[in-house]
Amino acid sequence: MVGVRLDAAAYRPVLQPMSIALELGQVVGVIGPNGAGKSTLLRLMAGLIAPTSGQVLVAELPIASQSPRWRAQHIAYLPQLIGDDIPFTVREFVEMGRYSRESAWAQGASRREAVMAAVAQMGLERLLDVPLAQISGGERQRAGIARCLAQASPVFLLDEPIANLDVFYQLDILSRLRGLAADGRLIVLAIHHLEFAMRFCDACIVLDHGAVVAFGPRDEVFQTELVQRVFHIGVRRFADPFTGDPRLSVMGCLPVKDGEEREES
Amino acid sequence: MRRRRRLAFASLVLALCVAVALEIGIGPVYIPFWHIPADTIAYASGHRSLDAIVVGAIRWPRLLVALLVGAALAVAGCVLQAIFKNPMSDPGVIGVSSGGALGAVLTIAFGWSSRWLWVTPAGSFICGLAVVVLIYRLATFGRRTNLYALLLAGVAVGSLCSAIITAILDMSPLQTMEQMMFWLFGGLDGSNWRETCILTIVDGIVLPVFMALAWALDIMVTGEEHAEGVGVAVQRVKQIALGLCALIVGVSVSTTGVISFVGLIVPHVLRYLVGPRHRHLIPACALGGATLLALSDLVARTVVAPVELNVGIVTSCLGAPFFLFLLFQHGRNWQRR
């Protein structure tokens, strides 16, 4: 079943028209250099910005014209930054995921159950009543994903969920996301780490200057030539001698041609 | 936390009761607090003894205006701090106070206030709202309000207003200047039952709406993008919250003049006591702001009696050092409670 469908959707001047259908039950990585439009694409899919032309369809309805509540019931969007100054406890933060499903003053068992299940699935029971400001970055990211679980939407859009995390939490978060996709969800995440993208994503969308330059299963997408062209780095691909996973050997930066300046965002 | 919260609410209610008894009892005519109910009933049923008139026609309206304005300012400050995610926010930031003061000063300078009594409050209210609308328009691009732009526009327009006010003050004769100073520093003398009614209606409509928005405000504190992600209608919440803050602060400023600091410190102190959730914070701010303003007025009336200070001076003089003391005590982990 299709989770999100882009129908010649564009957001000018950042994103060129693109037509993509993303099936439920998989992890899709959005990769590309800084300023390629990854965050904008996620916000477009979440319906937080309306396409300037074309359509973004969720459950066969154009999402940009739906109510915020409907959008949140169908798509859970988690921004890149979960502030380290948030005064709420993990429980209160995860509860916020229920905003689109319950009224503020209902003290029903359904809310408590949804929150406890989400917290348990992310292994945060121990930190339930600790303020977000006092836990580590990796635990905060887990709390963010638990909030998406409490939201009970079939599609998760995560903006760079492993940026700024140590290697343990990068692997921890990505393997938890794989597990969530195995339950039938569509997980779309912006990611900078190419080797982890190859290892954990079923499919990838490669963005460059606001256009999709490749979309498909990871083995089709991670072609040496494509990576070199998009990221301006010299790479060789090889199989990891211990795990057998595809790996990239990074040789160095390639000279940037005139008129093709890398834009920093 | 729950026990601490209960304790905090209990002490707030107690403090409010003490403030009520003191504010009604103390003054040139001393009324023992056990006489208050009897005198109130006497006034209501038409007896006109000295005590009954002092309690019914002077002290009660003054007390109620203090309570309602204090509650409005503190709650508005609390809501604006959530919307802006900025601990420095108070009702001043959206320009409603400075606009209101400018309106009042203008009507006095043109001499309209001596002809009709209602002109100054009306001018103050209209100018306050006009400034808010102007700032809101300046900071809204497309369908989105940029909160940083709003904050900065508020500061800029605010200082423009104070410059104009100062210019008018410079050119005014001494007598009108005195009248203007009342608006610039806020005062409660001359409070009457009509003002009490207006404030009761406005507070009675606005505070329940803020309570209904409590969860959305909680979520706004975690960031606008997060709020959008979980389904909060962010732009609508911003419009409602800013509009209603402008309304209650506008009505307050137009009755009492500018009273600073209540909207800034009360939410901070209470966030420390009852936690960050707005369903607790909003009622706590209403109680705390009301109590603070009533007690400040008591100090303003008594400390250098028979001269009355402006209550705004007292809130600043009491508020600033107390706030600095708290900041000094808890500064290190002010953000992370």
Side-chain angles (χ1 to χ4, degrees), chain A residues 119-139:
Chain A
V119 164
Q121 201 166 352
M122 283 293 121
L124 290 166
E125 299 99 324
R126 204 169 41 83
L127 301 171
L128 206 52
D129 289 310
V130 181
L132 239 60
Q134 289 170 9
I135 63 179
S136 76
E139 290 161 341

Side-chain angles (χ1 to χ4, degrees), chain B residues 3 17 41 65 85 96 131 165 202 218 263 279 304 317 328 330:
Chain B
R3 243 187 89 201
C17 294
I41 293 166
V65 167
K85 275 201 76 181
V96 61
V131 167
I165 289 171
V202 173
D218 286 350
R279 60 169 59 182
V304 286
C317 286
F328 184 71
H330 305 283

Side-chain angles (χ1 to χ4, degrees), chain A:
Chain A
M1 225 172 81
V2 175
V4 180
R5 183 197 305 280
L6 280 79
D7 197 358
Y11 187 75
R12 291 186 193 280
V14 184
L15 293 178
Q16 308 302 317
M18 49 186 73
S19 297
I20 292 173
L22 301 176
E23 303 273 330
L24 293 177
Q26 56 174 350
V27 178
V28 177
V30 179
I31 60 174
N34 286 339
K38 299 188 294 295
S39 296
T40 311
L41 177 59
L42 289 182
R43 292 179 62 79
L44 188 70
M45 285 181 178
L48 303 181
I49 49 179
T52 51
S53 63
Q55 279 187 321
V56 179
L57 298 169
V58 172
E60 302 306 321
L61 290 170
I63 189 165
S65 51
Q66 304 300 316
S67 72
R69 191 169 291 259
W70 189 94
R71 285 204 296 262
Q73 285 170 2
H74 289 78
I75 285 193
Y77 167 77
L78 186 66
Q80 181 177 350
L81 218 68
I82 303 176
D84 60 2
D85 57 352
I86 293 176
F88 299 103
T89 61
V90 170
R91 184 204 304 271
E92 290 164 341
F93 187 70
V94 175
E95 250 177 20
M96 291 173 183
R98 303 300 295 168
Y99 183 83
S100 59
R101 307 221 170 241
E102 288 168 50
S103 94
W105 298 91
Q107 290 290 352
S110 67
R111 178 191 302 182
R112 199 167 47 247
E113 273 165 27
V115 169
M116 292 315 287
V119 164
Q121 201 166 352
M122 283 293 121
L124 290 166
E125 299 99 324
R126 204 169 41 83
L127 301 171
L128 206 52
D129 289 310
V130 181
L132 239 60
Q134 289 170 9
I135 63 179
S136 76
E139 290 161 341
R140 263 203 300 281
Q141 196 61 47
R142 275 202 211 162
I145 295 168
R147 195 187 71 192
C148 295
L149 283 170
Q151 205 165 327
S153 335
V155 180
F156 288 12
L157 303 179
L158 312 173
D159 198 352
E160 299 196 23
I162 61 165
N164 307 324
L165 299 187
D166 64 33
V167 180
F168 172 84
Y169 272 110
Q170 292 187 3
L171 286 166
D172 173 80
I173 296 289
L174 288 172
S175 41
R176 283 173 190 276
L177 289 177
R178 277 234 61 88
L180 298 182
D183 296 338
R185 296 183 184 83
L186 166 62
I187 315 272
V188 183
L189 68 156
I191 182 169
H192 272 301
H193 199 303
L194 295 178
E195 292 188 329
F196 283 171
M198 284 198 288
R199 185 161 151 195
F200 287 96
C201 296
D202 299 299
C204 279
I205 301 170
V206 184
L207 284 180
D208 193 18
H209 292 101
V212 176
V213 291
F215 166 55
R218 59 183 174 194
D219 291 322
E220 285 173 28
V221 167
F222 281 101
Q223 300 298 329
T224 317
E225 187 271 333
L226 181 81
V227 173
Q228 303 208 98
R229 182 158 50 83
V230 172
F231 289 95
H232 298 284
I233 51 171
V235 291
R236 296 283 180 279
R237 201 177 140 148
F238 66 101
D240 191 286
F242 301 105
T243 63
D245 287 323
R247 296 280 308 275
L248 291 176
S249 194
V250 179
M251 324 300 281
C253 294
L254 294 180
V256 180
K257 283 181 218 127
D258 284 346
E260 217 187 306
E261 293 284 308
R262 287 199 49 174
E263 294 157 31
E264 293 295 325
S265 67

